[in-house]
Amino acid sequence: QVQLVESGGGLVQAGGSLRLSCAASERTFSTFNYYGVGWFRQAPGKEREFVAAISSSSSRIYYTYYADSVKGRFTISRDNAKNIVYLQMNSLRAEDTAVYYCAAAQKWTYYGNMNEYTYWGQGTQVTVSS
């Protein structure tokens, strides 16, 4: 099974940056590279929402997708050698405050559908102060 661990969350001032990491356990390195990976977030009192996604390493070209709320500010990428997917978050705003989760999917019919993802990390807290 794919085991995922998020890290990199913390407290930052509005306008600042953070880089989140989603790492596969050593036992699932080879499998992780061939899964699509998405980032989702959940703020207090709100439903979990899609943030960004990246296609698997089986694609010669990585396809990336972003929610309108983060497009132009966040960048998703993956490092196959390290088996890590990153979410670079720039120009952070208070409304970006949430618990951020990474998730892996064997295949997608729609990358933004939470139900397409089988494996989830434990989440990492991002807090942006105004």
Side-chain angles (χ1 to χ4, degrees):
Q1 301 293 327
V2 175
Q3 303 291 329
L4 306 177
V5 179
E6 303 100 331
S7 62
L11 174 64
V12 297
Q13 295 290 124
S17 298
L18 283 174
R19 187 180 71 170
L20 305 184
S21 298
C22 176
S25 68
E26 293 181 356
R27 297 184 299 277
T28 59
F29 274 175
S30 61
T31 302
F32 182 66
N33 285 335
Y34 293 93
Y35 280 63
V37 175
W39 285 95
F40 295 78
R41 67 186 182 186
Q42 187 164 20
K46 297 182 63 178
E47 297 291 325
R48 189 170 298 185
E49 65 178 356
F50 168 76
V51 177
I54 188 167
S55 61
S56 74
S57 297
S58 63
S59 301
R60 293 191 296 111
I61 301 174
Y62 287 136
Y63 297 91
T64 58
Y65 311 90
Y66 299 95
D68 289 341
S69 60
V70 306
K71 191 172 184 179
R73 299 188 298 121
F74 291 9
T75 302
I76 189 170
S77 62
R78 66 192 307 162
D79 185 333
N80 289 334
K82 296 182 178 180
N83 296 94
I84 297 175
V85 171
Y86 299 103
L87 184 68
Q88 178 67 45
M89 306 186 295
N90 299 324
S91 302
L92 284 163
R93 305 192 289 249
E95 50 263 45
D96 294 316
T97 295
V99 176
Y100 284 71
Y101 301 88
C102 69
Q106 288 184 304
K107 63 179 182 179
W108 294 327
T109 56
Y110 176 56
Y111 55 84
N113 183 1
M114 182 174 62
N115 294 324
E116 303 278 6
Y117 295 82
T118 303
Y119 306 102
W120 292 80
Q122 82 287 354
T124 185
Q125 177 71 48
V126 172
T127 303
V128 184
S129 61
S130 301

